[in-house]
């Protein structure tokens, strides 16, 4: 699993919280429709990043345990949610999404913003599914999103983003369809307190997973109900998931 360093964690914090804002209301509505929500029963957020999703769940009175491999991301998450950490509404734990365990169990496990595409292989993804299954209560739900092959093809080429005054970002994407992986080189110029800019570079990868293989593996592990949806049709099943750039996966134990 790719773990982000200090510079990229800060860059992510400044620029990429928007997806949490989009998906959180849908995740919360689905959770509250399936379970009697209790302030004593946290959900688990795998690859919690900077804790933006935690903050949005906490606003609805739902506690969160966040798991991430990156120490800088966890530090930002704890800073963002300091009051919630102090009251026990939020907890952040370092761990690998491909192989983790908890003494407690959960009714609801989520992972968002195509975080699981950053697992290096299908075996690692299967390890994540195994780990989730072991910490999920019976009748519990695992909900996560993935970039599809179609979605990752759209990352190819060069893109420039200067959406805020603090950063100027150039991304260069290439997809290796033979090896089912997409690489994105991110060059970011970040403004410092003195007004000058520093240059930071990070190369991130996304593994392409065949969605039928994903469904088969989840069912092989023991999930009883598996279907695909999209952000727009959430949580209604889609019959041709590979025709969308991003898919939401629902798996019930």
């Amino acid at each position: 699993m790719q773990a982000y360093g200090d510079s990229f964690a800060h860059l992510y914090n400044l620029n990429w919280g928007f997806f949490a804002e989009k998906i959180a209301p849908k995740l919360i509505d689905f959770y509250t429709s399936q379970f009697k929500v209790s302030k004593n029963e946290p959900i688990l957020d795998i690859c919690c990043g900077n804790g933006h999703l935690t903050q949005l769940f906490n606003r609805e009175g739902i506690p969160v345990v966040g798991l991430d491999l990156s120490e800088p991301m966890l530090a930002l998450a704890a800073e963002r949610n300091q009051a919630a950490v102090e009251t026990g509404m939020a907890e952040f734990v370092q761990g690998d999404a491909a192989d983790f365990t908890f003494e407690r169990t959960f009714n609801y496990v989520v992972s968002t913003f195509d975080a699981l595409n950053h697992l290096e292989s299908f075996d690692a993804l299967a390890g994540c599914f195994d780990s989730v299954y072991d910490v999920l209560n019976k009748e519990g739900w695992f909900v996560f999103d993935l970039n599809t092959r179609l979605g990752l093809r759209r990352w190819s080429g060069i893109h420039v983003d200067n959406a805020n005054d603090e950063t100027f970002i150039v991304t260069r994407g290439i997809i290796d369809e033979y090896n089912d992986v997409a690489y994105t080189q991110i060059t970011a110029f970040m403004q410092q307190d003195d007004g000058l800019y520093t240059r930071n570079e990070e190369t991130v990868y996304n593994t392409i997973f065949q969605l039928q293989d994903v469904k088969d593996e989840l069912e092989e592990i023991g999930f009883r109900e598996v279907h695909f949806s999209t952000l727009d049709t959430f949580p209604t099943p889609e019959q041709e998931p590979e025709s969308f750039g991003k898919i939401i996966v629902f798996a019930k134990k």
Side-chain angles (χ1 to χ4, degrees):
M1 185 78 184
Q2 192 164 23
Y4 299 129
D6 287 309
S7 295
F8 189 78
H10 181 57
L11 180 68
Y12 186 102
N13 198 41
L14 286 173
N15 293 276
W16 292 307
F18 62 89
F19 189 72
E21 299 278 355
K22 285 184 177 181
I23 199 170
K26 297 176 185 292
L27 290 171
I28 291 166
D29 285 348
F30 183 76
Y31 179 44
T32 56
S33 74
Q34 298 294 316
F35 302 100
K36 182 179 179 181
V37 177
S38 168
K39 290 186 178 181
N40 297 320
E41 296 180 6
I43 72 158
L44 174 62
D45 181 11
I46 301 171
C47 304
C48 64
N50 63 2
H52 199 159
L53 195 69
T54 297
Q55 186 178 50
L56 298 171
F57 267 88
N58 283 173
R59 287 177 185 172
E60 301 301 318
I62 302 169
V64 178
V65 175
L67 176 81
D68 205 283
L69 189 59
S70 168
E71 288 186 15
M73 281 291 202
L74 290 171
L76 286 170
E79 181 180 351
R80 176 187 294 275
N81 297 280
Q82 182 178 354
V85 170
E86 291 172 356
T87 61
M89 284 292 288
E91 178 185 354
F92 298 104
V93 179
Q94 187 176 23
D96 188 343
D99 185 13
F100 65 87
T101 186
F102 284 93
E103 293 184 2
R104 71 182 83 183
T105 55
F106 305 86
N107 285 328
Y108 198 41
V109 179
V110 300
S111 185
T112 63
F113 208 16
D114 48 85
L116 297 189
N117 282 105
H118 296 303
L119 291 168
E120 65 275 14
S121 66
F122 191 82
D123 285 345
L125 184 67
C128 176
F129 294 167
D130 275 323
S131 296
V132 171
Y133 191 86
D134 287 344
V135 301
L136 195 63
N137 291 327
K138 186 174 175 57
E139 307 293 330
W141 283 94
F142 178 29
V143 181
F144 61 98
D145 65 79
L146 290 172
N147 280 321
T148 65
R149 182 181 298 274
L150 177 63
L152 289 170
R153 282 174 179 164
R154 296 172 181 165
W155 286 28
S156 296
I158 299 175
H159 304 275
V160 177
D161 182 4
N162 59 341
N164 66 61
D165 294 335
E166 297 181 63
T167 57
F168 182 85
I169 303 170
V170 179
T171 60
R172 301 172 178 85
I174 185 171
I175 183 168
D176 177 357
E177 300 211 41
Y178 181 79
N179 290 301
D180 286 338
V181 65
Y183 297 95
T184 304
Q185 182 186 49
I186 301 171
T187 303
F189 299 88
M190 303 172 65
Q191 190 175 40
Q192 307 304 300
D193 292 339
D194 59 7
L196 299 177
Y197 286 79
T198 59
R199 174 174 173 161
N200 298 277
E201 290 196 356
E202 183 92 23
T203 299
V204 300
Y205 62 81
N206 279 256
T207 305
I208 301 169
F209 299 116
Q210 301 294 329
L211 296 180
Q212 186 60 52
D213 293 342
V214 170
K215 186 175 187 293
D216 290 345
E217 183 66 25
L218 286 165
E219 291 176 341
E220 177 69 22
I221 286 170
F223 287 93
R224 297 183 296 110
E225 180 182 335
V226 179
H227 72 267
F228 302 104
S229 187
T230 69
L231 196 60
D232 291 334
T233 60
F234 191 112
T236 305
E238 291 286 354
Q239 300 307 312
E240 298 182 5
E242 294 283 5
S243 65
F244 297 89
K246 184 186 289 290
I247 278 294
I248 317 294
V249 186
F250 292 76
K252 184 177 184 179
K253 184 170 178 179

